[in-house]
Amino acid sequence: MKHKIMILGALMLMMSVTSCHKESDGMLSYVYNDDMAFAGAKKSYAEEFKVFWNAMNSTYSLWDYEEACGLDWDEHYRVMLPKFEALDTTTSKVSDEQLKKLMEEMVAPLHDGHMKVSFMNHATGNYVKTGPGIIRNEERPDFMLTYFVPDLQPYYDRQELVELKEVNTDAEEQYKRIMNADGIGLSWAQDKQKELINKELPTGAEATTLYHLDRLIAKLEELQKKYSKVTQKTIEEYNAVVSQYAFLNVPYLEPINTIFCENGIEVKYALFKDNIAYFYLSSFSLTPYMSAESINKNFGTDKQTMELAKQVNQTYSAWFQAVQRLHKEKKLKGVIIDLRSNPGGLVSDSYYLLGSMLPKGGFQIGYTRYKRGPGRYDYSPFMPSTIYTMDTEHEIVDDVPITLLVNCWSVSMSEATSLTAKQMPNARLVGSRTWGGICALSDATDFSANYAGHIGVENTTPVYVYLPMVAAFDMNKQSLEGVGIEPDIPVELDEDQHNNGHDTQLERALQYIRGER
């Protein structure tokens, strides 16, 4: 009996201790669509905030950094919760704009540059999204350059270049070219239609061709009106039309592989007359194009796709071979790698860029740290962070200037590459400060091992947060998250001059390489 009383007493003590909390947040899984974690958030704005605060408390990788920047996370809870509770009790309909404004106040003190936060607006049924990176950078002069692409044609026209190769595999660009370029696709079909209409005595075959051309053109023009923005759905409907009218043999009216909706890339190689080798890539998506095996694996084997993928490989190879050949001949004057408006991507791409000019065996650029438990400060020790470098024989380019062009929208792997340049004595950053999103990302499947990553399921749970898995630091073990990397040679892009064929950031890099330091 004495033992039973002691056990009963212990149970009562446990109940009294835990009764102060509605739930044990440390035991909830916020990475999956867990009913217990998200039940309240399906109906309440205040509960959405609580999910966000509690999940961040256990999965965010930068609490010591945020604290050093002046953020008191517990006080932030006390300030923000009543504001979300007020949304639950208001008698008027909560607009998306109203919710977004409050969410922006909620995330503004945080520094993670990748973070994307989504709350369901129960009043409208819409997901409302924001992130601290947007808030921090939207007042910058180059914020509007999200989709900036350098124009090298004026330099070629002025005969400043001896070589120029360009290719773009992005599905939207392929679609626009087919729909808008003269002499191919829709334009060719319209010209053929006019030619057949003007025939006084068309043959039976010509009349049949005209009949089908009329319908093809109508469907393509309908697609143009239907979709102001090109999406995967646009490409799928376009492909259906192309397949239906393939027998017309319209030049370049070919199906577009939908894989290029997400994995398209634009690359440019140019060689200036004084042997400065330039390379631009729109995103770090180069690795899948770098061998016949990976092309087959990632893009399939249809003729059009294979041709585009090979052109990417050939464009990169032209730059790499020029650097290798000219350096070996002691004729290489310098290298420019253009990462402006490059949002990042595959870590393995480092092998082909700066890694192709550095020694074998990897190259340390800073330190990383993982989340190792649900506690706010459960972090791993600092570990060296290294990039891939080319493991085959290649020239080590450490005796001529290398410049990286960067801007506000150079993010993630663009910033890791910028950190690499900072450790190379012959490399310099030219342009404007980078975004400030350096911490590494992962899929949600890595959450259980690293206690960090996604919160919720996008467009499914009422709260979703896209978070880094790994905290990244420079060689001084300082975080640059939310701050970005300052260029060694600051210069803004003059849009008026750019429209007139002069890229002020590119030309400043050229000046530096040519000795105008």
Side-chain angles (χ1 to χ4, degrees):
M1 177 64 72
K2 181 178 179 180
H3 291 299
K4 290 180 180 178
I5 292 172
M6 289 177 67
I7 292 170
L8 179 61
L11 288 170
M12 291 179 68
L13 178 62
M14 288 173 63
M15 290 173 63
S16 69
V17 169
T18 58
S19 64
C20 297
H21 303 278
K22 291 182 181 179
E23 60 191 19
S24 175
D25 296 312
M27 297 300 291
L28 294 178
S29 171
Y30 291 103
V31 72
Y32 305 111
N33 186 9
D34 188 304
D35 286 339
M36 185 179 292
F38 294 100
K42 294 177 181 178
K43 298 179 180 179
S44 163
Y45 298 106
E47 291 300 322
E48 284 184 305
F49 170 71
K50 289 179 183 178
V51 166
F52 173 74
W53 190 90
N54 284 316
M56 287 286 291
N57 203 44
S58 60
T59 63
Y60 190 46
S61 301
L62 292 169
W63 283 125
D64 50 353
Y65 176 58
E66 299 290 6
E67 200 171 86
C69 291
L71 175 60
D72 183 332
W73 190 234
D74 297 305
E75 179 61 22
H76 195 56
Y77 180 92
R78 288 188 284 270
V79 170
M80 294 303 304
L81 180 60
K83 298 182 180 184
F84 280 94
E85 289 174 334
L87 293 185
D88 287 331
T89 58
T90 184
T91 56
S92 58
K93 182 178 179 180
V94 176
S95 67
D96 292 343
E97 293 75 17
Q98 188 178 358
L99 178 57
K100 185 175 182 179
K101 185 176 180 181
L102 189 55
M103 289 171 63
E104 287 175 343
E105 184 181 350
M106 174 186 76
V107 302
L110 297 166
H111 285 78
D112 174 39
H114 284 105
M115 184 187 296
K116 178 175 69 177
V117 183
S118 173
F119 278 16
M120 165 66 79
N121 186 348
H122 313 108
T124 66
N126 298 325
Y127 283 96
V128 178
K129 300 177 181 180
T130 189
I134 295 289
I135 297 169
R136 289 182 186 281
N137 287 296
E138 62 185 352
E139 299 301 323
R140 292 178 54 181
D142 56 350
F143 181 77
M144 300 306 293
L145 299 176
T146 315
Y147 303 109
F148 171 79
V149 177
D151 184 7
L152 300 177
Q153 191 62 44
Y155 296 92
Y156 189 77
D157 293 342
R158 292 193 296 266
Q159 298 183 348
E160 296 180 44
L161 304 178
V162 293
E163 286 186 75
L164 176 61
K165 292 180 180 291
E166 303 175 311
V167 60
N168 191 343
T169 69
D170 182 73
E172 181 175 359
E173 291 304 315
Q174 292 183 56
Y175 175 83
K176 287 179 178 178
R177 180 168 177 264
I178 291 165
M179 291 296 207
N180 300 317
D182 292 337
I184 66 170
L186 178 57
S187 171
W188 184 93
Q190 291 168 332
D191 290 342
K192 189 68 176 177
Q193 179 191 46
K194 290 174 185 175
E195 176 191 322
L196 294 175
I197 287 173
N198 291 329
K199 283 206 169 190
E200 291 185 9
L201 295 171
T203 65
E206 288 172 336
T208 301
T209 298
L210 178 59
Y211 172 85
H212 290 296
L213 276 174
D214 289 343
R215 279 144 187 80
L216 168 64
I217 291 167
K219 289 189 177 184
L220 291 178
E221 289 177 343
E222 182 184 348
L223 272 179
Q224 287 182 308
K225 293 176 183 176
K226 183 177 179 180
Y227 294 105
S228 57
K229 183 180 180 182
V230 179
T231 65
Q232 181 160 331
K233 180 70 172 173
T234 315
I235 301 302
E236 289 170 353
E237 291 190 24
Y238 160 83
N239 285 343
V241 173
V242 169
S243 297
Q244 184 180 357
Y245 292 95
F247 62 89
L248 291 172
N249 295 317
V250 176
Y252 291 92
L253 193 70
E254 301 282 349
I256 297 171
N257 194 326
T258 54
I259 197 168
F260 291 130
C261 293
E262 294 293 333
N263 295 315
I265 187 174
E266 183 169 7
V267 294
K268 298 172 184 272
Y269 155 65
L271 183 63
F272 286 83
K273 291 178 76 172
D274 50 354
N275 291 333
I276 298 173
Y278 168 99
F279 187 71
Y280 161 82
L281 74 165
S282 60
S283 67
F284 282 81
S285 309
L286 198 58
T287 302
Y289 297 90
M290 289 297 98
S291 70
E293 182 182 356
S294 63
I295 289 173
N296 290 338
K297 178 182 176 182
N298 290 285
F299 303 112
T301 57
D302 68 90
K303 183 179 178 181
Q304 172 115 338
T305 299
M306 290 288 286
E307 180 59 32
L308 279 169
K310 286 177 182 176
Q311 286 179 34
V312 172
N313 183 296
Q314 290 164 0
T315 303
Y316 166 79
S317 295
W319 172 78
F320 174 72
Q321 294 299 335
V323 171
Q324 295 293 300
R325 173 178 54 80
L326 291 170
H327 188 265
K328 193 169 186 177
E329 295 171 355
K330 302 190 184 305
K331 295 178 181 178
L332 182 66
K333 192 173 187 67
V335 176
I336 299 173
I337 297 177
D338 196 338
L339 302 180
R340 288 176 292 179
S341 300
N342 183 321
L346 300 173
V347 175
S348 55
D349 275 13
S350 64
Y351 181 98
Y352 300 101
L353 297 175
L354 291 181
S356 71
M357 295 180 281
L358 287 164
K360 300 177 186 179
F363 185 80
Q364 185 176 355
I365 64 171
Y367 294 88
T368 55
R369 189 184 66 185
Y370 289 78
K371 198 76 167 51
R372 281 294 179 256
R376 191 180 293 180
Y377 302 104
D378 290 345
Y379 300 128
S380 74
F382 284 101
M383 294 171 279
S385 173
T386 60
I387 65 154
Y388 297 103
T389 57
M390 194 166 280
D391 56 5
T392 55
E393 290 299 324
H394 62 279
E395 293 288 304
I396 309 303
V397 183
D398 57 4
D399 54 351
V400 299
I402 297 172
T403 58
L404 267 65
L405 299 181
V406 293
N407 67 7
C408 172
W409 286 96
S410 300
V411 194
S412 198
M413 260 307 289
S414 290
E415 295 181 288
T417 307
S418 298
L419 284 179
T420 306
K422 287 287 188 179
Q423 300 308 311
M424 298 171 63
N426 59 320
R428 298 291 184 271
L429 297 186
V430 178
S432 55
R433 178 168 53 88
T434 64
W435 179 267
I438 305 169
C439 293
L441 302 167
S442 70
D443 293 328
T445 51
D446 289 323
F447 178 91
S448 59
N450 294 294
Y451 293 92
H454 302 233
I455 295 168
V457 179
E458 188 168 19
N459 297 325
T460 301
T461 53
V463 176
Y464 172 74
V465 186
Y466 188 54
L467 278 175
M469 179 186 72
V470 182
F473 304 84
D474 66 14
M475 290 295 288
N476 297 315
K477 298 183 180 177
Q478 299 297 309
S479 176
L480 298 172
E481 201 70 16
V483 176
I485 302 168
E486 293 286 351
D488 301 297
I489 304 172
V491 55
E492 295 291 342
L493 182 76
D494 186 313
E495 292 191 57
D496 290 335
Q497 288 197 46
H498 186 261
N499 293 336
N500 289 316
H502 289 280
D503 184 330
T504 48
Q505 292 173 326
L506 171 59
E507 291 181 10
R508 183 64 186 91
L510 290 167
Q511 288 172 358
Y512 173 78
I513 291 172
R514 289 166 179 162
E516 299 176 38
R517 305 299 167 90

